Amino acid sequence: METITVAKGEFILSTEKAKMDLPIIHHYLANQSYWAQNIPIETVQLAIENSLNFGIFHNNKQIGYARIVSDFATVAYLGDVFILPTYRGLGLSKWMIENIMLHPNLQGLRRWILLTADAHDLYKKFGWSCIAIPERWMDKHNPNVYQ
């Protein structure tokens, strides 16, 4: 897997797994996200270990995160995307999604998948759209798995 590191002013985006700050990622997901409330830290750690991770850093502190679950040939799922509240409004989420979409190991995929309750406009800027034929899609969802 190709590791990338990109700078934008005083911010650094990196896919280096060792740089990911588990306590910060876990705290945000478990306490601030709407999709992973109460997620155990062990689950977050396992997810990081088995994903392509994108972290944004400011002065060596992690302030943003996203991860890709993929076979790197046909499909990729984008999940756990966040920028810490004090760093929002600086264009960092757009910069992160742009770099995710450009990652060399994620080119030529047949399908990208994500779930969002409130960031449709962000993803539409990168070619995403609502599912064209939703009746073909199924899921098995356990929203209380972390309770």
Side-chain angles (χ1 to χ4, degrees):
M1 189 62 44
E2 188 167 337
T3 300
I4 62 167
T5 301
V6 184
K8 178 181 180 181
E10 54 193 38
F11 298 97
I12 301 292
L13 180 141
S14 177
T15 60
E16 189 176 330
K17 203 171 286 193
K19 287 185 177 280
M20 301 304 138
D21 189 324
L22 177 61
I24 287 175
I25 296 167
H26 173 256
H27 178 77
Y28 183 88
L29 294 176
N31 301 298
Q32 295 178 272
S33 77
Y34 63 82
W35 64 88
Q37 287 287 301
N38 302 311
I39 189 169
I41 195 165
E42 298 82 12
T43 302
V44 175
Q45 183 174 17
L46 189 59
I48 290 170
E49 289 172 9
N50 291 297
S51 299
L52 172 58
N53 303 274
F54 291 79
I56 296 182
F57 303 86
H58 182 247
N59 296 327
N60 293 318
K61 176 188 173 199
Q62 185 153 11
I63 55 98
Y65 179 72
R67 67 186 185 91
I68 295 287
V69 179
S70 182
D71 62 6
F72 302 103
T74 63
V75 65
Y77 168 78
L78 171 61
D80 294 338
V81 179
F82 70 84
I83 302 294
L84 293 180
T86 55
Y87 291 90
R88 292 180 186 162
L90 302 174
L92 297 173
S93 60
K94 290 182 204 94
W95 180 55
M96 182 162 54
I97 300 303
E98 178 182 13
N99 278 283
I100 290 169
M101 302 297 295
L102 291 173
H103 191 282
N105 296 110
L106 298 173
Q107 303 308 301
L109 300 176
R110 182 177 68 239
R111 185 173 312 274
W112 287 77
I113 304 162
L114 66 79
L115 298 164
T116 185
D118 57 4
H120 294 77
D121 289 340
L122 168 65
Y123 297 111
K124 284 179 181 178
K125 292 175 184 172
F126 295 95
W128 297 72
S129 61
C130 292
I131 294 174
I133 309 171
E135 61 272 12
R136 289 188 181 178
W137 288 82
M138 295 178 70
D139 74 350
K140 183 178 176 192
H141 184 224
N142 183 355
N144 299 315
V145 70
Y146 307 129
Q147 304 305 333

